[in-house]
Amino acid sequence: MPLILSLLVFFLFLEINHNFRKKSNLKITPITYNVIHASNNIFISGTLLIENKYKRIELMIPEISLKLSLYGEKDLSALTKEIKIIPKHNDMNNRSDYNWKAYIVKSNSSTEVDFTLNITDPSFADLTSHVSLAWVDVFWIDYGPSGRNANRSGFSLAITKPTLTKNTEKSFIANRYSRILPVKTHILGVLDDPIEVIKTYTKNIVNPSDIIIIGETPLSITQGNYFHPATIEPSNLAKILCRFFHPTSSLATACGMQSLINEVGPSRVTFAWIIGALLKLFRIKGYFYNLAGKQARLIDDITGTTPPYDQTIVLGPNQPQRFCDEAYKKLGINIAVVDANDLGRVKVLASSNKKLNPLLEKALISNPAGNGDEKTPILILRPY
């Protein structure tokens, strides 16, 4: 009895300590963007939504700034980048010099901010052929009851998109169970609708009997389930537990472990670790992941994803089964969300037809989508 009581007090302490840790309910996300191309100029305009999700707490934003990074096939460091932020507050006038005025976001409300990104370089005859992606980091300070907190988020903007994959039988990769076509896309982001992406890039290729597969990480990215590790403050618990995992595990770093703790709570993670460690003494492995929940297996720490998301921690997708059901209704093709790697591990997270799961697990062992920079988040599987 004293042992059980001590454990209950310990877990209660973990939960209370976790709930009082610094965290902000102020979210900044992109909602629209547009790209205008010229020979030696790229002009991007867009809008950010700033939401205060607290029901009773007002938060101030004394500072906000953007940083632009460009991705392409050549050295782009010499390009000139001009960034402007234009607030759209209904209750405050803007400064003519574009400097940010500290603003109060009232509880359970939102405001919007426009931004423009102007990229130029006269030395490039065709700038758009060299720049494929823009990554925008958003830095801001929120000021309120929990203090002065530095935050950041980021999002990708496709500048150019690849040529649609051709519908030729020679492009399909054959194995014992099926033929598979990796479909190249642009780097997906939070502004992409994954169903529309599938529809666009598989148009004129897919047959009614095919199965369309999307990777769990790209799907999760379109849902906004990623964040920079700078926004995580690892607890002592995370720093201790992460040391017991294999160095290649996404839970082997303090930030990776803290990401899991933030998702499922410190008590569940600690309980799963204790039971998992005890069962390991009897050579029974894998129970930590079973007890800690699905996210324990799906979290990708930094370097685990295609750039520019290799700088972020990516969680598993939200409601993959619901996504498959909705995609099937709209597209009329069987859809699956799969987590596969180069080690031959295949996990079907969800599918529109469960009877197809055994086929998917066998056909995807070779991981035809790859884990590198292939930019093929979609596969078309054509059964024999």
Side-chain angles (χ1 to χ4, degrees), residues 196-258:
E196 286 301 315
V197 169
I198 291 173
K199 183 178 179 180
T200 298
Y201 284 100
T202 63
K203 182 173 57 177
N204 301 325
I205 303 176
V206 69
N207 292 335
S209 60
D210 290 344
I211 307 166
I212 296 177
I213 301 156
I214 185 169
E216 57 91 11
T217 297
L219 175 62
S220 188
I221 285 171
T222 65
Q223 297 172 341
N225 296 326
Y226 61 89
F227 43 84
H228 196 280
T231 63
I232 298 176
E233 184 181 353
S235 61
N236 289 329
L237 177 65
K239 293 176 182 178
I240 293 171
L241 294 184
C242 72
R243 297 176 184 273
F244 293 92
F245 288 79
H246 192 277
T248 60
S249 169
S250 289
L251 301 180
T253 66
C255 289
M257 178 60 72
Q258 188 63 47

Coordinates of all heavy atoms in Angstrom, one line a residue, residues 196-258:
E196 N -5.9 17.1 -52.7 CA -5.8 17.8 -53.9 C -4.4 17.5 -54.5 O -4.2 17.4 -55.7 CB -5.9 19.3 -53.7 CG -7.4 19.7 -53.5 CD -8.3 19.3 -54.7 OE1 -7.8 19.6 -55.9 OE2 -9.4 18.8 -54.5
V197 N -3.4 17.3 -53.6 CA -2.0 17.0 -54.1 C -2.1 15.6 -54.8 O -1.5 15.5 -55.9 CB -1.0 17.0 -52.9 CG1 0.3 16.4 -53.4 CG2 -0.8 18.4 -52.4
I198 N -2.7 14.7 -54.2 CA -2.8 13.3 -54.8 C -3.5 13.4 -56.1 O -3.1 12.8 -57.1 CB -3.5 12.4 -53.8 CG1 -2.7 12.1 -52.6 CG2 -3.9 11.1 -54.5 CD1 -3.4 11.3 -51.5
K199 N -4.6 14.1 -56.1 CA -5.4 14.3 -57.4 C -4.6 14.9 -58.5 O -4.7 14.4 -59.6 CB -6.7 15.1 -57.1 CG -7.6 15.3 -58.2 CD -8.8 16.1 -57.8 CE -9.8 16.3 -59.0 NZ -11.0 17.1 -58.6
T200 N -3.8 15.9 -58.2 CA -3.1 16.6 -59.2 C -1.9 15.8 -59.8 O -1.8 15.7 -61.0 CB -2.5 17.9 -58.6 OG1 -3.5 18.8 -58.2 CG2 -1.6 18.6 -59.6
Y201 N -1.2 15.1 -58.9 CA 0.0 14.4 -59.3 C -0.3 13.0 -59.8 O 0.6 12.4 -60.4 CB 1.0 14.4 -58.2 CG 1.7 15.7 -58.0 CD1 1.4 16.6 -57.0 CD2 2.8 16.1 -58.8 CE1 2.0 17.8 -56.8 CE2 3.4 17.3 -58.7 CZ 3.0 18.2 -57.7 OH 3.7 19.4 -57.5
T202 N -1.4 12.4 -59.6 CA -1.7 11.1 -60.1 C -2.7 11.2 -61.3 O -3.1 10.1 -61.8 CB -2.3 10.2 -59.0 OG1 -3.6 10.7 -58.5 CG2 -1.3 10.1 -57.8
K203 N -3.1 12.3 -61.7 CA -4.0 12.5 -62.8 C -3.5 11.8 -64.0 O -2.3 12.0 -64.4 CB -4.3 14.0 -63.0 CG -5.3 14.3 -64.1 CD -5.6 15.8 -64.1 CE -4.3 16.6 -64.3 NZ -4.6 18.1 -64.4
N204 N -4.4 11.1 -64.7 CA -4.0 10.4 -66.0 C -3.1 9.3 -65.8 O -2.5 8.8 -66.8 CB -3.5 11.4 -67.0 CG -4.5 12.5 -67.3 OD1 -5.7 12.3 -67.3 ND2 -3.9 13.7 -67.6
I205 N -2.8 8.9 -64.5 CA -1.9 7.8 -64.3 C -2.6 6.6 -63.6 O -2.5 5.5 -64.0 CB -0.7 8.2 -63.4 CG1 0.1 9.3 -64.0 CG2 0.2 7.0 -63.2 CD1 1.2 9.9 -63.1
V206 N -3.4 7.0 -62.6 CA -4.0 5.9 -61.7 C -5.1 5.2 -62.4 O -5.9 5.8 -63.2 CB -4.4 6.6 -60.4 CG1 -5.6 7.5 -60.6 CG2 -4.7 5.5 -59.4
N207 N -5.2 3.9 -62.2 CA -6.3 3.1 -62.6 C -7.3 2.8 -61.5 O -6.9 2.8 -60.3 CB -5.8 1.7 -63.2 CG -5.0 1.9 -64.4 OD1 -5.2 2.9 -65.2 ND2 -4.1 1.0 -64.7
P208 N -8.5 2.4 -61.7 CA -9.5 2.2 -60.7 C -9.0 1.1 -59.7 O -9.4 1.1 -58.5 CB -10.7 1.7 -61.4 CG -10.6 2.4 -62.7 CD -9.1 2.4 -63.1
S209 N -8.2 0.1 -60.2 CA -7.8 -1.0 -59.3 C -6.5 -0.7 -58.5 O -6.0 -1.5 -57.7 CB -7.6 -2.3 -60.1 OG -6.6 -2.1 -61.1
D210 N -5.9 0.5 -58.8 CA -4.7 0.8 -58.1 C -4.9 1.2 -56.6 O -6.0 1.4 -56.2 CB -4.0 2.0 -58.8 CG -3.5 1.6 -60.2 OD1 -3.3 0.4 -60.5 OD2 -3.2 2.6 -61.0
I211 N -3.8 1.3 -55.9 CA -3.8 1.7 -54.5 C -2.9 2.9 -54.4 O -1.7 2.8 -54.8 CB -3.3 0.6 -53.5 CG1 -4.2 -0.6 -53.7 CG2 -3.5 1.1 -52.1 CD1 -3.5 -1.9 -53.0
I212 N -3.3 4.0 -53.9 CA -2.5 5.2 -53.8 C -2.0 5.2 -52.3 O -2.8 5.1 -51.4 CB -3.3 6.5 -54.1 CG1 -3.6 6.5 -55.6 CG2 -2.4 7.7 -53.8 CD1 -4.5 7.7 -56.0
I213 N -0.7 5.4 -52.2 CA -0.1 5.4 -50.9 C 0.6 6.7 -50.6 O 1.3 7.2 -51.5 CB 1.0 4.3 -50.8 CG1 0.3 2.9 -51.1 CG2 1.7 4.3 -49.4 CD1 1.3 1.9 -51.5
I214 N 0.4 7.3 -49.5 CA 1.0 8.5 -49.1 C 1.8 8.2 -47.8 O 1.3 7.5 -46.9 CB 0.1 9.7 -48.9 CG1 0.9 11.0 -48.6 CG2 -1.0 9.4 -47.8 CD1 0.0 12.3 -48.7
G215 N 3.0 8.8 -47.7 CA 3.8 8.6 -46.5 C 3.2 9.3 -45.3 O 2.6 10.3 -45.4
E216 N 3.4 8.7 -44.1 CA 2.8 9.3 -42.9 C 3.4 10.6 -42.6 O 2.8 11.5 -42.1 CB 2.9 8.3 -41.7 CG 4.3 7.8 -41.3 CD 5.0 8.7 -40.3 OE1 4.3 9.6 -39.7 OE2 6.2 8.5 -40.1
T217 N 4.7 10.8 -42.8 CA 5.4 12.1 -42.5 C 4.9 13.2 -43.4 O 4.6 14.3 -42.9 CB 6.9 11.9 -42.6 OG1 7.4 10.9 -41.6 CG2 7.6 13.2 -42.3
P218 N 4.9 13.0 -44.8 CA 4.4 14.1 -45.6 C 2.9 14.5 -45.2 O 2.6 15.7 -45.2 CB 4.4 13.5 -47.0 CG 5.5 12.5 -46.9 CD 5.4 11.9 -45.6
L219 N 2.1 13.5 -44.9 CA 0.7 13.8 -44.5 C 0.7 14.6 -43.3 O 0.0 15.6 -43.2 CB -0.1 12.5 -44.3 CG -1.5 12.7 -43.8 CD1 -2.3 13.5 -44.8 CD2 -2.1 11.3 -43.5
S220 N 1.5 14.2 -42.3 CA 1.6 14.9 -41.0 C 2.0 16.4 -41.2 O 1.6 17.3 -40.6 CB 2.5 14.2 -40.1 OG 2.4 14.8 -38.8
I221 N 3.0 16.6 -42.1 CA 3.5 17.9 -42.4 C 2.4 18.8 -42.9 O 2.3 20.0 -42.6 CB 4.7 17.9 -43.4 CG1 5.9 17.4 -42.6 CG2 5.0 19.2 -44.0 CD1 7.1 17.1 -43.5
T222 N 1.6 18.3 -43.8 CA 0.4 19.1 -44.4 C -0.6 19.5 -43.3 O -1.3 20.4 -43.4 CB -0.3 18.4 -45.5 OG1 -0.9 17.2 -45.0 CG2 0.7 18.0 -46.6
Q223 N -0.6 18.7 -42.2 CA -1.5 19.0 -41.1 C -0.8 19.9 -40.1 O -1.4 20.3 -39.1 CB -1.8 17.7 -40.4 CG -2.6 16.7 -41.2 CD -2.8 15.3 -40.6 OE1 -2.1 15.0 -39.7 NE2 -3.8 14.6 -41.1
G224 N 0.4 20.3 -40.3 CA 1.1 21.2 -39.4 C 1.7 20.6 -38.2 O 2.0 21.3 -37.2
N225 N 1.9 19.3 -38.2 CA 2.4 18.6 -37.0 C 3.9 18.5 -36.9 O 4.5 17.5 -36.9 CB 1.8 17.1 -37.0 CG 0.3 17.1 -36.8 OD1 -0.3 18.0 -36.2 ND2 -0.3 16.1 -37.5
Y226 N 4.5 19.7 -37.0 CA 6.0 19.8 -36.8 C 6.3 21.0 -36.1 O 5.5 22.0 -36.1 CB 6.6 19.7 -38.2 CG 6.2 20.9 -39.1 CD1 7.0 22.1 -39.1 CD2 5.1 20.8 -40.0 CE1 6.6 23.1 -39.9 CE2 4.7 21.8 -40.8 CZ 5.5 23.0 -40.8 OH 5.1 24.1 -41.5
F227 N 7.5 21.1 -35.5 CA 7.9 22.3 -34.8 C 9.4 22.3 -34.7 O 10.1 21.2 -34.7 CB 7.3 22.4 -33.4 CG 7.2 21.0 -32.7 CD1 8.3 20.6 -31.9 CD2 6.1 20.2 -32.8 CE1 8.2 19.4 -31.3 CE2 6.0 19.0 -32.1 CZ 7.1 18.6 -31.4
H228 N 10.0 23.4 -34.5 CA 11.4 23.5 -34.3 C 11.8 23.2 -32.8 O 11.1 23.5 -31.9 CB 11.9 25.0 -34.6 CG 13.4 25.1 -34.8 ND1 14.3 25.2 -33.8 CD2 14.1 25.2 -35.9 CE1 15.5 25.3 -34.2 NE2 15.4 25.3 -35.6
P229 N 12.9 22.4 -32.7 CA 13.3 22.0 -31.3 C 13.6 23.2 -30.4 O 13.6 23.0 -29.1 CB 14.5 21.1 -31.5 CG 15.0 21.4 -32.9 CD 13.8 21.8 -33.7
A230 N 13.8 24.4 -30.9 CA 14.1 25.5 -30.1 C 12.9 25.9 -29.3 O 13.0 26.6 -28.3 CB 14.5 26.7 -31.0
T231 N 11.7 25.4 -29.7 CA 10.5 25.8 -29.0 C 10.2 24.8 -27.9 O 9.2 24.9 -27.2 CB 9.3 25.7 -30.0 OG1 9.1 24.4 -30.5 CG2 9.5 26.7 -31.1
I232 N 11.1 23.8 -27.7 CA 10.9 22.8 -26.7 C 11.9 23.0 -25.5 O 13.1 23.2 -25.8 CB 11.1 21.4 -27.2 CG1 10.0 21.1 -28.3 CG2 11.0 20.3 -26.1 CD1 10.2 19.8 -29.0
E233 N 11.4 23.0 -24.3 CA 12.3 23.1 -23.1 C 12.2 21.7 -22.5 O 11.3 21.4 -21.7 CB 11.7 24.1 -22.2 CG 12.7 24.3 -21.0 CD 12.1 25.4 -20.0 OE1 11.1 26.0 -20.3 OE2 12.7 25.5 -18.9
P234 N 13.3 20.9 -22.7 CA 13.3 19.5 -22.2 C 13.3 19.5 -20.7 O 14.0 20.3 -20.0 CB 14.6 18.9 -22.7 CG 15.0 19.8 -23.9 CD 14.5 21.2 -23.5
S235 N 12.4 18.7 -20.1 CA 12.4 18.5 -18.6 C 13.5 17.6 -18.2 O 14.2 16.9 -19.0 CB 11.1 17.9 -18.2 OG 10.9 16.6 -18.8
N236 N 13.8 17.5 -16.9 CA 14.8 16.6 -16.4 C 14.4 15.2 -16.7 O 15.2 14.3 -16.9 CB 15.0 16.8 -14.9 CG 15.7 18.1 -14.6 OD1 16.5 18.6 -15.3 ND2 15.4 18.7 -13.4
L237 N 13.1 14.9 -16.6 CA 12.6 13.6 -17.0 C 13.0 13.2 -18.4 O 13.4 12.0 -18.6 CB 11.0 13.5 -16.8 CG 10.4 12.2 -17.1 CD1 10.8 11.1 -16.2 CD2 8.8 12.4 -17.1
A238 N 12.8 14.1 -19.3 CA 13.1 13.8 -20.7 C 14.6 13.5 -20.9 O 15.0 12.7 -21.6 CB 12.7 14.9 -21.6
K239 N 15.4 14.3 -20.2 CA 16.9 14.2 -20.3 C 17.3 12.9 -19.7 O 18.4 12.4 -20.1 CB 17.5 15.4 -19.5 CG 17.3 16.7 -20.2 CD 17.9 17.9 -19.3 CE 17.6 19.2 -20.0 NZ 18.2 20.3 -19.1
I240 N 16.6 12.4 -18.7 CA 17.0 11.1 -18.1 C 16.5 9.9 -19.0 O 17.3 9.0 -19.4 CB 16.4 10.9 -16.7 CG1 17.1 12.0 -15.8 CG2 16.6 9.5 -16.2 CD1 16.4 12.1 -14.4
L241 N 15.3 9.9 -19.4 CA 14.7 8.8 -20.1 C 15.3 8.6 -21.5 O 15.5 7.5 -22.0 CB 13.2 8.9 -20.2 CG 12.4 8.8 -19.0 CD1 10.9 8.9 -19.3 CD2 12.7 7.6 -18.2
C242 N 15.7 9.7 -22.2 CA 16.2 9.6 -23.5 C 17.5 8.8 -23.6 O 17.9 8.2 -24.6 CB 16.4 11.0 -24.1 SG 17.7 11.9 -23.5
R243 N 18.2 8.7 -22.5 CA 19.5 8.1 -22.5 C 19.4 6.5 -22.5 O 20.4 5.9 -22.7 CB 20.3 8.5 -21.2 CG 20.6 10.0 -21.2 CD 21.3 10.4 -19.9 NE 21.5 11.8 -19.8 CZ 22.6 12.4 -20.3 NH1 23.5 11.7 -20.8 NH2 22.7 13.7 -20.2
F244 N 18.2 6.0 -22.3 CA 18.0 4.6 -22.3 C 17.6 4.0 -23.7 O 17.3 2.9 -23.8 CB 17.0 4.2 -21.3 CG 17.5 4.4 -19.9 CD1 17.2 5.7 -19.2 CD2 18.2 3.5 -19.2 CE1 17.6 5.9 -18.0 CE2 18.6 3.7 -17.9 CZ 18.3 4.9 -17.3
F245 N 17.6 4.9 -24.7 CA 17.1 4.5 -26.0 C 18.3 4.4 -27.0 O 19.3 5.1 -26.8 CB 16.1 5.4 -26.6 CG 14.7 5.3 -25.9 CD1 14.5 5.9 -24.6 CD2 13.7 4.6 -26.4 CE1 13.3 5.8 -24.0 CE2 12.5 4.4 -25.8 CZ 12.3 5.0 -24.5
H246 N 18.1 3.6 -28.0 CA 19.2 3.4 -29.0 C 19.5 4.8 -29.7 O 18.6 5.6 -29.9 CB 18.7 2.4 -30.1 CG 19.8 2.0 -31.0 ND1 20.3 2.7 -32.1 CD2 20.6 0.9 -31.0 CE1 21.2 2.1 -32.7 NE2 21.5 1.0 -32.0
P247 N 20.8 5.0 -29.9 CA 21.2 6.4 -30.5 C 20.5 6.8 -31.7 O 20.3 8.0 -32.0 CB 22.7 6.2 -30.7 CG 23.1 5.1 -29.7 CD 22.0 4.2 -29.6
T248 N 20.0 5.8 -32.5 CA 19.3 6.1 -33.8 C 17.8 6.4 -33.6 O 17.2 6.8 -34.5 CB 19.5 5.0 -34.8 OG1 18.9 3.8 -34.3 CG2 21.0 4.8 -35.2
S249 N 17.3 6.2 -32.4 CA 15.9 6.4 -32.1 C 15.6 7.9 -32.0 O 16.4 8.7 -31.5 CB 15.5 5.7 -30.8 OG 14.2 6.1 -30.4
S250 N 14.4 8.3 -32.5 CA 14.0 9.7 -32.3 C 13.7 10.1 -30.9 O 13.5 11.2 -30.6 CB 12.8 9.9 -33.2 OG 13.1 9.9 -34.6
L251 N 13.7 9.1 -30.0 CA 13.5 9.3 -28.6 C 14.8 9.4 -27.8 O 14.8 9.5 -26.6 CB 12.6 8.3 -28.0 CG 11.2 8.2 -28.6 CD1 10.4 7.1 -27.9 CD2 10.4 9.5 -28.6
A252 N 15.9 9.3 -28.5 CA 17.2 9.3 -27.9 C 17.8 10.7 -27.6 O 18.9 10.8 -27.1 CB 18.2 8.5 -28.7
T253 N 17.0 11.7 -27.9 CA 17.4 13.1 -27.6 C 16.4 13.7 -26.6 O 15.2 13.2 -26.6 CB 17.4 14.0 -28.8 OG1 16.1 14.1 -29.4 CG2 18.4 13.4 -29.9
A254 N 16.8 14.6 -25.9 CA 15.9 15.2 -24.9 C 14.7 15.9 -25.5 O 13.6 15.8 -25.0 CB 16.7 16.2 -24.0
C255 N 14.9 16.6 -26.6 CA 13.8 17.2 -27.3 C 12.9 16.2 -27.9 O 11.6 16.4 -27.9 CB 14.3 18.2 -28.4 SG 15.1 19.7 -27.7
G256 N 13.4 15.1 -28.5 CA 12.5 14.1 -29.1 C 11.7 13.5 -28.0 O 10.5 13.3 -28.2
M257 N 12.3 13.1 -26.8 CA 11.5 12.5 -25.7 C 10.5 13.5 -25.2 O 9.4 13.2 -24.9 CB 12.5 12.1 -24.6 CG 11.8 11.5 -23.4 SD 10.8 10.0 -23.8 CE 12.2 8.8 -24.1
Q258 N 10.9 14.8 -25.1 CA 10.0 15.8 -24.6 C 8.8 16.0 -25.5 O 7.6 16.2 -25.0 CB 10.7 17.1 -24.4 CG 9.8 18.2 -23.6 CD 9.5 17.8 -22.2 OE1 10.3 17.3 -21.5 NE2 8.2 17.9 -21.9

